[in-house]
Amino acid sequence: QEHAYPADELMPLTCRGRVRGQEPSRGDVDDALGKFSLTLIDTLDTLVVLNKTKEFEEAVKKVIKDVNLDNDIVVSVFETNIRVLGGLLGGHSVAIMLKEKGEHMQWYNGELLHMAKELGYKLLPAFNTTSGLPYPRVNLKFGVRHPEARTGTETDTCTACAGTLILEFAALSRFTGTSIFEEYARKALDFIWEKRQRSSNLVGVTINIHTGDWVRKDSGVGAGIDSYYEYLLKAYVLLGDDSFLERFNTHYDAIMRYISQPPLLLDVHIHKPMLNARTWMDSLLAFFPGLQVLKGDIRPAIETHEMLYQVIKKHNFLPEAFTTDFRVHWAQHPLRPEFAESTYFLYKATGDPYYLEVGKTLIENLNKYARVPCGFAAMKDVRTGSHEDRMDSFFLAEMFKYLYLLFADKDDMIFDIEDYIFTTEAHLLPLWLSTTNQTISKKNTTTEYTELDDSNFDWTCPNTQILFPNDPMFAQSIREPLKNVVDKSCPRGISRAEESLGSGPKPPLRARDFMASNPEHLEILKKMGVSLIHLKDGRVQLVQHAVQAASSLDAEDGLRFMQEMIELSSQQQKEQQLPPRAVQIVSHPFFGRVVLTAGPAQFGMDLSKHKSGTRGFVATIKPYNGCSEITNPEAVKEKIALMQRGQCMFAEKARNIQKAGAIGGIVIDDNEGSSSDTAPLFQMAGDGKNTDDITIPMLFLFNKEGNIILDAIREYEAVEVLLSDKAKDRATIFKGKTIPNYIIDSNLDMESMDQKLPENDSHKQNLEEASSASQDVGAVSEEPEEGEGSDVTDPDSLSPAHADSDSVSISNQDSYVPGTDEASTPEPACTQGDNQPQEQKTEAESNSKVNWDNKVQPMESILADWNEDIEAFEMMEKDEL
């Protein structure tokens, strides 16, 4: 309200609103933004859960008065449904509840429901396909096929995108008596069910909306599929239609048969479900233990949740993706709420106070690592602690709600939460909708359901109270074997063949242990159907033919070996690259709360070997480009020099400031508007000469991050920063110094924590190439001005730093992986808005009733806003969000 309204989202580092079209495009993730005050609508029912009824009433009035749903803008059907339509319906649900109580909202006359119906009609053109599956995007003003719509050419959508509509659309139909919305949502679900793979009963990640062919044939419970399963079960709960429960049970049987490998949940191929499709998991699957609680399958829910908690304890947050041996695969964390959701449901099911301790850890980590003066900033890299200028609406809509409910007693609530069901965005829909305006026949018209073994559902329990009142140690007995699962390799279970032979488990050959000269290893490869070919250039090529494996289990081991080898090959390509560094502003009023992602240098002090980093006040040099002798050495001596990129080599800049007495240097990009949010990081390369004479640390900041420091200097003459390999805990920053009263005391030393990690995890992990938001570290050279006789490349061009050619290349019958000169890592697959962006787009946005021209606030204005937060910071240790 204070810094961002009426924008869709808050940018917590720059204390302003994110307006689509005014900020650099983030690709698909921006499709959630529609210039309709997204965060305000998404948070309406959260205010009532928090007992903020007065604030809720004012927020509803603002939505009714200011929000325009007729904007010429292309938005995600999926995100707009769960966040905006769901937010309006959730707001309407609690509004009528408050009105019935007679104290609040007496003036309310269904205005939010009228807006929801208007939005529902604006989404309907997306369903104009032969299959009934919706287009992934729609123009709010012009629909899909209008000449000015700028959408409607897409052919694919993710399963969750098409299968996560029934709760909101059915609720809209039941509230209004207009059946068309529920009919369209049911038709989409029916089509996905018909297209499931019949032998495995699994569905793929992406599907062609016109033909129904599976585009991506891997299947899991994470990104791209997650909420499809969730809505099948919850549609049964809300609507009372048995067909939804039968479908869910059929899918759940397949999930537990093929995907669940406790405590892991690994993607498989829908046509070959015994073969894993990848060796890493994404963070969106953290919702699944909560869904298993709703199902009544408590044991695997406890196991998977505990595994995820161990990952969080290692990295402070759940990385966007992590491998089966719990290394970081994608390092971002946009403050996702799925783990908090599962924690809440497990506590409700077991009553085990352990889950209150888990919730306390989540709150402490949010306050310690993500809280900034204007909100909570997403983590750009969980390994370094660097921030991203991003706070998605789901953080307030879901995270706050679940954490509050986790600790709330019934007396703290002004209504009974058990009378409602949570949508995937945690919006509240009343259960009485199941008996209201039933215009849809419940008769199942789809194919016969697979007959399932009844024993699969022996543990299904409908009890909504504590499930284990006579055995409080039940959950602990399940968690105990998993306490050290992250710090050790996950133990491999006994295979069915080994179990029948009684021979016990035999560890499979791991890619990292493989030696082409070892005869025993070659024999194992042959058994797994893997052939080894010696190439003329000395490299070795591996090819797998599953049909040549000794057994299906050996083929499965062979596929896993090939996947590990692909990842190992990719990692070896990046061995010569350096991880990102951190610039942390530690002076007043920041005190370490703002962390900027910085690119490293291939010369100078190696910050990874100097754990304390380099700390000092910053000073702007003259000349600003640093390409000649510094003319203000008295201002630079014993300080960290700021300079602009361009006109000479990075190493030359470093030598000039080092000669002037600087203790470090920060090079700021001269490309206006560049940001680590939208551009890959890179290394500053040397000048081709010996750079051992450079002993000070040098870091690179893009223009946007650099301007944060420059703006601070304009308001304060003294700005102090810390250059380090990763962000430091504030207790470490102020060690030996007087800590301001309002800075939270921290007893967690991030460095000492790192020292406790096992040897194979203590080194810095290389960044994975994933999405357009991934951080690929390359090398950059800068050249002298024209005429200086240099043949170094253009200083503004990026030159990725490649490793030497690897000695192994891999292929198999399903996918050929060439030599390492061509190898690349897989990209994320689903265009769900909550996921990382995959492509860059620009939109021409217009037609808004509200003035969207948000400007960056001056530091003085920002500080005035912060002053009122100071008292809250003093009580930070008691802060419950």
Side-chain angles (χ1 to χ4, degrees):
Q1 291 287 336
E2 190 171 345
H3 299 294
Y5 186 78
D8 283 318
E9 289 179 347
L10 169 69
M11 299 173 69
L13 296 183
T14 50
C15 298
R16 59 196 173 107
R18 181 182 296 281
V19 180
R20 194 166 171 188
Q22 294 184 15
E23 302 294 334
S25 172
R26 300 177 299 169
D28 291 339
V29 73
D30 279 342
D31 287 343
L33 311 181
K35 293 185 178 179
F36 35 36
S37 297
L38 172 64
T39 299
L40 182 62
I41 292 177
D42 212 3
T43 315
L44 286 176
D45 53 8
T46 300
L47 293 171
V48 179
V49 171
L50 300 179
N51 202 7
K52 302 286 186 181
T53 52
K54 181 180 178 181
E55 290 83 350
F56 169 74
E57 196 157 352
E58 292 302 316
V60 171
K61 290 178 179 178
K62 281 190 174 182
V63 169
I64 296 170
K65 176 177 176 290
D66 295 338
V67 171
N68 177 26
L69 297 174
D70 195 38
N71 299 314
D72 177 14
I73 192 168
V74 176
V75 296
S76 162
V77 173
F78 168 79
E79 296 293 349
T80 304
N81 172 64
I82 66 171
R83 300 202 207 187
V84 186
L85 183 58
L88 292 170
L89 292 172
H92 173 71
S93 300
V94 293
I96 58 177
M97 176 271 297
L98 291 174
K99 184 176 182 179
E100 288 176 1
K101 289 181 177 292
E103 295 181 22
H104 303 279
M105 303 295 293
Q106 296 305 299
W107 56 270
Y108 181 71
N109 195 30
E111 289 84 353
L112 293 179
L113 182 59
H114 298 321
M115 295 179 68
K117 188 174 182 180
E118 177 190 354
L119 180 60
Y121 278 120
K122 289 184 175 296
L123 295 179
L124 286 185
F127 292 83
N128 189 17
T129 62
T130 55
S131 67
L133 299 178
Y135 283 95
R137 300 177 185 86
V138 67
N139 187 299
L140 290 178
K141 189 176 184 69
F142 298 109
V144 172
R145 295 186 175 178
H146 191 279
E148 299 180 59
R150 303 189 305 282
T151 189
T153 59
E154 302 93 340
T155 58
D156 306 335
T157 191
C158 70
T159 302
C161 301
T164 311
L165 300 160
I166 186 64
L167 292 189
E168 292 83 2
F169 273 49
L172 183 57
S173 287
R174 302 297 175 96
F175 272 130
T176 63
T178 306
S179 63
I180 187 171
F181 305 108
E182 185 172 346
E183 291 171 358
Y184 274 62
R186 281 178 177 263
K187 183 179 179 183
L189 275 181
D190 290 345
F191 189 82
I192 294 174
W193 170 254
E194 286 294 328
K195 291 299 179 179
R196 74 192 186 283
Q197 211 291 321
R198 298 305 176 96
S199 62
S200 67
N201 281 319
L202 295 173
V203 293
V205 173
T206 54
I207 188 171
N208 186 296
I209 60 177
H210 303 296
T211 66
D213 295 333
W214 291 110
V215 179
R216 275 197 48 190
K217 301 176 183 180
D218 46 320
S219 183
V221 296
I225 303 179
D226 48 3
S227 49
Y228 162 68
Y229 294 134
E230 176 186 4
Y231 269 38
L232 284 178
L233 182 55
K234 289 184 176 180
Y236 163 70
V237 175
L238 180 66
L239 306 177
D241 188 336
D242 290 343
S243 68
F244 290 127
L245 179 61
E246 292 170 351
R247 294 181 190 184
F248 174 80
N249 282 341
T250 302
H251 284 313
Y252 190 77
D253 176 71
I255 291 168
M256 300 308 291
R257 188 186 303 271
Y258 304 119
I259 296 171
S260 177
Q261 302 177 34
L264 308 180
L265 291 163
L266 294 177
D267 285 18
V268 299
H269 298 281
I270 60 175
H271 295 96
K272 301 176 183 178
M274 297 302 293
L275 299 180
N276 291 337
R278 63 188 189 191
T279 58
W280 49 271
M281 296 166 280
D282 65 73
S283 63
L284 287 171
L285 62 76
F287 92 100
F288 197 68
L291 187 63
Q292 289 179 306
V293 170
L294 192 61
K295 164 70 176 172
D297 196 3
I298 303 296
R299 177 179 290 274
I302 293 173
E303 291 173 334
T304 299
H305 180 275
E306 181 62 24
M307 177 270 292
L308 295 170
Y309 184 44
Q310 297 301 323
V311 175
I312 288 174
K313 289 203 290 187
K314 179 176 180 178
H315 298 294
N316 299 321
F317 298 98
L318 196 61
E320 276 292 77
F322 53 94
T323 61
T324 53
D325 56 356
F326 310 108
R327 292 178 292 107
V328 173
H329 189 67
W330 300 335
Q332 306 93 335
H333 174 73
L335 306 182
R336 292 199 186 278
E338 284 78 13
F339 181 78
E341 174 186 358
S342 290
T343 303
Y344 165 69
F345 281 114
L346 272 170
Y347 177 65
K348 296 293 286 185
T350 65
D352 192 335
Y354 174 82
Y355 295 108
L356 296 179
E357 291 299 318
V358 174
K360 181 182 177 183
T361 300
L362 297 181
I363 293 173
E364 289 174 345
N365 287 350
L366 285 170
N367 278 326
K368 189 176 295 183
Y369 303 113
R371 188 163 189 164
V372 294
C374 289
F376 291 82
M379 307 306 296
K380 192 175 190 64
D381 192 317
V382 298
R383 297 165 296 190
T384 65
S386 58
H387 291 139
E388 189 175 354
D389 201 3
R390 169 184 180 184
M391 191 178 86
D392 291 85
S393 67
F394 55 70
F395 178 68
L396 296 178
E398 299 184 70
M399 183 74 85
F400 270 32
K401 192 176 293 172
Y402 285 124
L403 288 177
Y404 179 83
L405 290 171
L406 176 63
F407 292 97
D409 296 324
K410 280 194 173 182
D411 295 340
D412 298 323
M413 303 292 295
I414 61 175
F415 65 98
D416 190 353
I417 198 72
E418 301 294 341
D419 292 337
Y420 296 82
I421 191 169
F422 294 104
T423 69
T424 194
E425 191 77 3
H427 293 307
L428 302 175
L429 298 178
L431 293 175
W432 53 257
L433 287 174
S434 62
T435 59
T436 303
N437 291 325
Q438 297 185 42
T439 57
I440 306 296
S441 171
K442 291 184 180 180
K443 183 179 179 181
N444 173 41
T445 58
T446 57
T447 306
E448 290 290 321
Y449 294 97
T450 304
E451 285 294 326
L452 301 176
D453 182 358
D454 288 342
S455 65
N456 182 54
F457 308 112
D458 284 348
W459 23 250
T460 300
C461 181
N463 186 5
T464 60
Q465 303 303 313
I466 294 176
L467 297 179
F468 311 104
N470 299 320
D471 187 8
M473 300 299 289
F474 176 82
Q476 181 179 342
S477 67
I478 298 175
R479 290 192 302 265
E480 198 60 36
L482 302 171
K483 286 294 184 183
N484 299 315
V485 68
V486 171
D487 290 331
K488 298 178 181 178
S489 295
C490 185
R492 181 174 183 250
I494 300 176
S495 68
R496 289 183 292 276
E498 292 166 340
E499 200 169 40
S500 63
L501 295 173
S503 59
K506 297 178 182 178
L509 177 63
R510 306 302 297 268
R512 63 174 178 264
D513 300 326
F514 171 69
M515 295 181 62
S517 59
N518 188 322
E520 184 180 350
H521 287 182
L522 297 179
E523 186 63 30
I524 295 174
L525 290 187
K526 183 178 179 181
K527 188 177 180 182
M528 296 189 299
V530 179
S531 304
L532 184 145
I533 303 172
H534 292 275
L535 303 179
K536 292 181 179 180
D537 59 7
R539 292 185 301 160
V540 173
Q541 185 180 59
L542 299 176
V543 181
Q544 187 200 24
H545 298 282
V547 294
Q548 296 178 6
S551 69
S552 61
L553 289 170
D554 289 316
E556 185 177 347
D557 285 342
L559 179 65
R560 186 179 295 110
F561 174 82
M562 297 293 287
Q563 291 169 333
E564 290 179 358
M565 188 63 77
I566 291 170
E567 289 192 7
L568 183 62
S569 175
S570 175
Q571 292 163 12
Q572 289 173 344
Q573 276 191 301
K574 293 175 269 183
E575 279 182 351
Q576 294 183 355
Q577 299 179 357
L578 299 175
R581 304 299 188 218
V583 175
Q584 198 166 5
I585 307 179
V586 298
S587 56
H588 174 83
F590 304 93
F591 296 111
R593 289 188 172 280
V594 174
V595 182
L596 307 174
T597 300
Q602 295 178 344
F603 53 84
M605 179 191 294
D606 185 354
L607 290 170
S608 66
K609 297 179 181 178
H610 294 77
K611 292 298 182 182
S612 59
T614 295
R615 176 174 176 165
F617 289 92
V618 295
T620 304
I621 63 172
K622 297 179 182 178
Y624 189 32
N625 58 35
C627 293
S628 58
E629 185 175 351
I630 307 304
T631 59
N632 60 336
E634 68 288 343
V636 176
K637 189 174 182 180
E638 298 301 322
K639 294 184 179 178
I640 295 174
L642 297 177
M643 69 212 78
Q644 189 177 44
R645 176 187 179 189
Q647 301 184 29
C648 65
M649 306 295 288
F650 288 122
E652 184 178 347
K653 298 175 189 284
R655 290 189 179 97
N656 287 334
I657 63 170
Q658 180 173 287
K659 183 179 178 181
I663 60 173
I666 298 175
V667 178
I668 299 176
D669 193 9
D670 59 346
N671 183 17
E672 188 69 29
S674 65
S675 167
S676 61
D677 291 340
T678 55
L681 281 178
F682 56 90
Q683 301 175 36
M684 293 186 289
D687 55 4
K689 305 173 186 176
N690 190 322
T691 55
D692 291 344
D693 58 314
I694 303 174
T695 58
I696 60 174
M698 293 288 292
L699 295 181
F700 178 88
L701 289 178
F702 281 106
N703 187 265
K704 178 181 174 182
E705 286 81 2
N707 280 335
I708 291 177
I709 295 181
L710 296 176
D711 288 343
I713 293 175
R714 280 191 279 272
E715 297 296 328
Y716 299 94
E717 294 183 3
V719 174
E720 189 177 15
V721 301
L722 174 66
L723 313 184
S724 59
D725 64 327
K726 64 190 295 186
K728 297 292 186 279
D729 180 87
R730 281 181 288 282
T732 304
I733 295 172
F734 293 101
K735 192 173 183 180
K737 300 177 181 287
T738 302
I739 303 179
N741 291 332
Y742 46 89
I743 297 299
I744 181 173
D745 265 334
S746 174
N747 52 21
L748 176 62
D749 187 327
M750 293 174 70
E751 295 175 285
S752 63
M753 186 177 80
D754 281 347
Q755 293 170 5
K756 296 176 184 177
L757 297 180
E759 183 177 335
N760 66 323
D761 283 323
S762 61
H763 64 281
K764 298 295 176 287
Q765 300 289 343
N766 289 322
L767 293 178
E768 302 288 349
E769 298 171 12
S771 62
S772 62
S774 299
Q775 304 166 352
D776 295 336
V777 185
V780 169
S781 298
E782 296 210 1
E783 68 172 352
E785 302 231 309
E786 249 182 38
E788 293 187 15
S790 171
D791 41 4
V792 185
T793 56
D794 184 347
D796 289 333
S797 65
L798 305 185
S799 174
H802 291 288
D804 291 336
S805 181
D806 298 303
S807 58
V808 180
S809 61
I810 311 103
S811 68
N812 64 20
Q813 63 182 18
D814 293 322
S815 60
Y816 173 71
V817 182
T820 55
D821 291 339
E822 303 174 21
S824 63
T825 53
E827 297 183 357
C830 183
T831 58
Q832 259 178 286
D834 279 5
N835 297 337
Q836 296 302 315
Q838 296 177 337
E839 61 180 352
Q840 302 294 320
K841 300 195 294 292
T842 58
E843 300 271 2
E845 322 294 7
S846 62
N847 293 342
S848 175
K849 293 181 181 177
V850 187
N851 178 15
W852 297 88
D853 189 17
N854 291 319
K855 303 293 184 182
V856 180
Q857 294 173 274
M859 291 302 299
E860 186 176 319
S861 172
I862 293 174
L863 287 173
D865 295 334
W866 290 354
N867 284 336
E868 62 189 49
D869 291 334
I870 298 304
E871 293 181 6
F873 291 160
E874 291 176 351
M875 302 297 293
M876 186 73 76
E877 286 182 292
K878 298 180 180 179
D879 191 352
E880 294 184 358
L881 298 181

